[in-house]
Amino acid sequence: MNLLKNKIVLLGAGNVASHLGITLKEKGFSIVQVYSQTLESAKELGEKLNAESINDLSWVNTMADIYILSIKDNALPEILEKLPLKEGLFVHTAGSIPLEIFKEYGFSRYGVFYPLQTFSKEKNISFSNIPIFVEANTNDDELLLEQLAFMLSGKVFRLSSEKRKYLHLAAVFACNFVNHMYANAADILEKEGLAAEYLSPLIEETALKIRDMHPKDAQTGPAVRYDTNVINKHLELLNNDFYKRSLYKLISESINKTSQE
Amino acid sequence: MNLLKNKIVLLGAGNVASHLGITLKEKGFSIVQVYSQTLESAKELGEKLNAESINDLSWVNTMADIYILSIKDNALPEILEKLPLKEGLFVHTAGSIPLEIFKEYGFSRYGVFYPLQTFSKEKNISFSNIPIFVEANTNDDELLLEQLAFMLSGKVFRLSSEKRKYLHLAAVFACNFVNHMYANAADILEKEGLAAEYLSPLIEETALKIRDMHPKDAQTGPAVRYDTNVINKHLELLNNDFYKRSLYKLISESINKTSQE
């Protein structure tokens, strides 16, 4: 079986769709079409992929083999409802949406292709190291998605929808919430005219440290020592910032509680 | 001036004291003595440094040149009170404690030597890339500390106590709070029998991404999209975990609020 013969339609033109589309093209796949609600977004990605760009679902190419839906979670049901065809293999890339959503809308071949990574259009990234989690409603299609994933990455796993939702939840903590801590730190420094770059070695060491130590054992700082002296001084510095102060209090309590478990 | 002629006494044997002591010794300095409240801790570090180990402040070597106090913030006042000598240069390594604490206890030469990094005894680390922030009550001693810092690191800055406390606060967000997010993520996965290592590429990319993008622009995930569908599903998964649920809610609100600024 030559996987590269599979013609792909990409529904979505956001961060995940862009990185996935570009990588699939680099690996030799034909992306025949890109759909996005706005023609401009569809074109922006479509041009990079040498693909037709559409913003109307009634124009979807019905001759493709794989339809990858990489759109906002809450937009997915509407798209599934409107899709004028049910032939081919339909795949979404969302961490939190169960496989069976496709069944509700009458699809017969469907799967999930979930790359566990944070994507921003502006930032290049190699797929080779990204864990990809696949699932499908038949063994044949699960195998197909697995092989497709292995063309992009050395780390491919089959995972049920039930487990995937916990993986996605954990990723929100490890990425989205972590990034928000970086944003708060940068904000604190910038308001004092200090360079956010001072934190880079600390940020990178904190991320790399947990390769060698469990994060519970790696915890340092005033909260885990429960140094109320420092904690109270920090809370005072944050007096006029409701969210930063509330975050500081709650996270410190939670660190302290975790360290006693 | 040969900096290496300075004899150093290390007061403290914790994470920072250990890494700093070992690095100073590697660079050729003589650490003549290590003090810790417990003799066992003093000996553990003292043996590595070929230094005398003591647990009684009345035995402190009065002939040293530099006394580095690297102890818990709330233990510092008591140690300063009890120190039987006021000669030499006294330096603490704490982010949140002002330079002037030494004045209150009658010291005449004093400074701060603050390496901005997370240290755990079990984890080796090179000082060469760590930003070190110095301050002293005289220009001469500030220069001395600056030169000493440059022997360990290529990144040395003079910084006032007033600014340093914000740097320390930012570091708590960027390191301690970040690590707690890693701990929560690992916990969620472990409870489902999933490998915490799945998250490593995501964690490392999240940390490296902000070299190229401001963290506000790098924010992804359900909170910044305000995808209440996903947010509510995640909150449901955390129903029985007070702290994780409260963190999820508050951090998501804060992300959403920040993205609208």
Side-chain angles (χ1 to χ4, degrees), chain A residues 95-96 161-170 172-173, chain B residues 188 191-192 229-242 244-245 248:
Chain A
S96 283
S161 294
E162 180 58 26
K163 293 289 179 189
R164 191 178 61 255
K165 69 187 183 190
Y166 286 97
L167 192 61
H168 185 229
L169 174 61
V172 167
F173 276 89
Chain B
I188 289 166
K191 282 187 175 134
E192 293 298 315
N229 215 350
V230 177
I231 291 173
N232 289 332
K233 278 197 239 174
H234 282 168
L235 288 173
E236 232 170 81
L237 296 180
L238 297 173
N239 246 341
N240 297 316
D241 191 322
F242 172 77
K244 284 199 193 73
R245 192 182 154 89
Y248 191 101

Side-chain angles (χ1 to χ4, degrees), chain A residues 76-89:
Chain A
L76 191 63
E78 199 192 324
I79 305 267
L80 292 181
E81 176 107 54
K82 284 190 187 162
L83 266 174
L85 76 167
K86 311 284 170 184
E87 298 287 311
L89 174 58

Side-chain angles (χ1 to χ4, degrees), chain B residues 13-27:
Chain B
N15 292 330
V16 179
S18 298
H19 281 281
L20 189 55
I22 288 164
T23 305
L24 286 167
K25 181 170 182 281
E26 281 169 5
K27 298 294 176 184

Side-chain angles (χ1 to χ4, degrees), chain B residues 23-247:
Chain B
T23 305
L24 286 167
K25 181 170 182 281
E26 281 169 5
K27 298 294 176 184
F29 285 96
S30 300
I31 316 290
V32 294
Q33 209 175 42
V34 174
Y35 161 83
S36 173
Q37 251 189 319
T38 55
L39 194 57
E40 203 184 339
S41 306
K43 275 188 175 163
E44 193 193 325
L45 181 57
E47 278 165 20
K48 286 183 195 155
L49 303 179
N50 283 333
E52 188 190 4
S53 310
I54 60 167
N55 68 339
D56 184 332
L57 287 171
S58 57
W59 298 333
V60 164
N61 184 320
T62 57
M63 307 294 285
D65 303 288
I66 305 177
Y67 296 82
I68 301 179
L69 296 108
S70 199
I71 46 192
K72 276 188 199 173
D73 289 22
N74 48 17
L76 191 64
E78 199 192 325
I79 306 267
L80 292 181
E81 175 106 55
K82 282 189 184 164
L83 267 175
L85 76 166
K86 310 285 170 183
E87 298 288 310
L89 174 57
F90 291 81
V91 176
H92 76 66
T93 59
S96 283
I97 297 179
L99 172 70
E100 293 301 332
I101 189 171
F102 290 105
K103 200 176 176 183
E104 295 168 35
Y105 292 91
F107 293 88
S108 56
R109 290 177 58 210
Y110 46 85
V112 178
F113 189 94
Y114 177 51
L116 183 60
Q117 188 50 283
T118 171
F119 298 98
S120 294
K121 279 184 196 172
E122 303 76 13
K123 168 93 171 60
N124 286 334
I125 190 165
S126 158
F127 258 76
S128 58
N129 196 33
I130 299 176
I132 301 176
F133 298 87
V134 299
E135 188 184 13
N137 70 320
T138 68
N139 247 323
D140 282 358
D141 283 334
E142 202 157 84
L143 186 65
L144 189 155
L145 290 179
E146 194 176 43
Q147 290 171 333
L148 193 148
F150 269 124
M151 289 186 66
L152 310 191
S153 168
K155 297 181 179 171
V156 178
F157 308 92
R158 296 184 181 202
L159 194 74
S160 71
S161 296
E162 180 57 25
K163 293 288 179 191
R164 191 177 60 255
K165 68 187 183 189
Y166 286 97
L167 192 60
H168 185 229
L169 174 62
V172 167
F173 275 89
C175 167
N176 306 154
F177 291 177
V178 160
N179 184 72
H180 189 54
M181 300 303 129
Y182 298 157
N184 279 300
D187 198 48
I188 289 166
L189 293 184
E190 286 159 6
K191 282 187 175 134
E192 293 298 315
L194 295 165
E197 285 72 30
Y198 287 152
L199 296 173
S200 301
L202 178 65
I203 284 172
E204 289 166 26
E205 170 67 11
T206 305
L208 293 176
K209 200 173 179 181
I210 59 166
R211 281 189 191 174
D212 301 321
M213 298 174 76
H214 194 283
K216 271 188 199 168
D217 303 322
Q219 191 68 55
T220 58
V224 70
R225 297 193 305 262
Y226 218 63
D227 188 334
T228 48
N229 215 350
V230 177
I231 291 173
N232 289 332
K233 278 197 239 174
H234 282 168
L235 288 173
E236 232 170 81
L237 296 180
L238 297 173
N239 246 341
N240 297 316
D241 191 322
F242 172 77
Y243 276 105
K244 284 199 193 73
R245 192 182 154 89
S246 307
L247 289 169

